[in-house]
Amino acid sequence: MSTSARIVLLVTSPRLPAGLLTAAAWDVVRSAPVLAGAESPVTAAVRAAGAEVTVVGSGATQVLLDAVAAHGTVVWLAGPAGDESLARELGLRLAREPGLAELELMYGSWDPPGARLLDAVEVMDRLASPGGDPWKRAQTHRSLAGFLLEECYEAYDAISADDTDALREELGDVLLQVLLHARLAENLPEGERWTVDDVAGVLVDKMVRRNPHVFAGDEAGTLEEIEASWERIKRAEKARESVLDGIALSQPALALAAKILDRAGRIGLAVPPPLADGQVDPEARLGAGLLATVAAAREAGIDPEAALRRATLAYADAVRAAEREARGPGRP
């Protein structure tokens, strides 16, 4: 047999519309017999384009070899998982009998970056739909709020530990929260509901709008100039009465204090923190003293949240060491 005989294993992305094939893929399916292991959106699209597709129930390897002997070229339209077992079986057979045909792998379409996000959206839709996970269906934005914070803190811990493998997993847990909130929003009353595409659309528009040095041909300038441009665009987008508007007031008090002091400092406001000695009750005196400490840290260029975290974790290590010493050797 001529070595020009070939079996084309045509692989397509299950995450893209079925008819989106390359020109080379369309050329081969229109010029050679097409076989497949099952009906699918891709077989339907190929038929709609005028090509003939034969579904093979079993014995696909021999059917392909018979077809290539009769036609010279035959196409196998792979299923969503790629039909690796068939490709392996064919490869072993042709390795033993190389004169039968050549096996060619052709990608008719392939996953773009971010394609697995489509899988994540599909899985979440199934979990939060009738017949899915009762727990997820019973949640609300408010009931999930604590989980969102917890997952963000766990991602922060992974960053602090320089553990990029853990960070990958923790960011997945953060993404789960985003997807679940978006899916629950689809159940809101008419006029209030939104979807994950709305979330992504707002984000894309914001990124393009706030980065004119990338998307609008503006000069990039220095990092300081880019940051200043970002702030100007933000101010134009959102009419705010105060420089403090938009600060997340539910963040930990130490971080909140640092953020407020930083915002006030950006516009040169000299508003001194309250003096501890002038407060009438112990809690107010303590709070004023802590705020003064945060202000001093800012002046020194120190992140007070990171400083307290470092000291607290060191103290935790000392507590564990004291526990081990108190137990003594060999005691649980």
Side-chain angles (χ1 to χ4, degrees):
M1 177 176 288
S2 169
T3 56
S4 62
R6 62 178 183 151
I7 299 172
V8 179
L9 181 64
L10 183 60
V11 177
T12 60
S13 168
R15 301 175 184 91
L16 295 180
L20 287 181
L21 300 180
T22 63
W26 278 120
D27 287 343
V28 74
V29 299
R30 287 178 174 136
S31 63
V34 180
L35 308 179
E39 297 288 357
S40 70
V42 183
T43 60
V46 170
R47 284 199 189 96
E52 216 175 286
V53 182
T54 302
V55 175
V56 178
S58 60
T61 295
Q62 191 57 52
V63 173
L64 282 168
L65 292 174
D66 293 342
V68 79
H71 302 282
T73 297
V74 64
V75 178
W76 178 263
L77 201 54
D83 295 352
E84 292 183 9
S85 59
L86 173 63
R88 191 179 304 109
E89 184 178 333
L90 267 173
L92 291 173
R93 177 72 180 273
L94 296 177
R96 293 194 301 269
E97 302 176 69
L100 294 179
E102 293 180 351
L103 181 61
E104 176 183 340
L105 176 63
M106 177 181 290
Y107 287 94
S109 61
W110 50 88
D111 290 344
R116 294 310 301 272
L117 290 172
L118 299 176
D119 293 342
V121 171
E122 182 180 356
V123 168
M124 181 55 69
D125 181 63
R126 181 173 178 183
L127 288 170
S129 295
D133 177 13
W135 185 89
K136 289 181 175 58
R137 288 175 51 76
Q139 300 311 303
T140 65
H141 296 305
R142 188 174 292 276
S143 71
L144 291 169
F147 293 105
L148 178 58
L149 280 176
E150 181 181 352
E151 300 300 353
C152 289
Y153 281 132
E154 290 180 5
Y156 186 99
D157 284 345
I159 293 172
S160 298
D162 291 324
D163 189 340
T164 55
D165 288 338
L167 178 60
R168 178 183 58 216
E169 180 179 352
E170 299 303 342
L171 288 177
D173 291 340
V174 173
L175 177 60
L176 183 151
Q177 295 299 313
V178 174
L179 295 176
L180 183 50
H181 277 282
R183 179 59 183 82
L184 293 175
E186 295 183 34
N187 302 330
L188 293 173
E190 186 70 35
E192 298 179 26
R193 65 180 62 122
W194 42 269
T195 70
V196 69
D197 286 316
D198 295 316
V199 175
V202 170
L203 173 61
V204 169
D205 292 345
K206 184 186 296 184
M207 288 193 296
V208 171
R209 193 169 56 245
R210 293 186 182 179
N211 291 278
H213 58 289
V214 177
F215 298 102
D218 289 5
E219 290 293 329
T222 64
L223 290 179
E224 290 77 12
E225 290 170 339
I226 291 173
E227 290 176 355
S229 172
W230 177 281
E231 291 297 333
R232 283 195 304 272
I233 294 169
K234 277 181 65 176
R235 286 196 297 271
E237 289 173 355
K238 299 180 179 181
R240 289 174 170 168
E241 297 181 358
S242 169
V243 71
L244 304 182
D245 289 350
I247 293 178
L249 301 180
S250 59
Q251 63 184 296
L254 193 64
L256 176 62
K259 178 64 72 173
I260 289 176
L261 288 166
D262 180 65
R263 287 282 186 92
R266 286 187 196 180
I267 59 173
L269 282 179
V271 180
L275 295 175
D277 293 341
Q279 305 306 310
V280 296
D281 64 80
E283 182 178 329
R285 284 195 294 275
L286 176 61
L290 291 172
L291 183 57
T293 300
V294 174
R298 179 180 177 277
E299 289 297 321
I302 297 172
D303 180 352
E305 182 78 21
L308 180 58
R309 179 179 300 275
R310 177 179 176 182
T312 303
L313 292 178
Y315 178 70
D317 289 339
V319 170
R320 292 190 178 96
E323 287 178 321
R324 289 192 296 270
E325 185 177 348
R327 285 195 299 266
R331 294 179 58 187

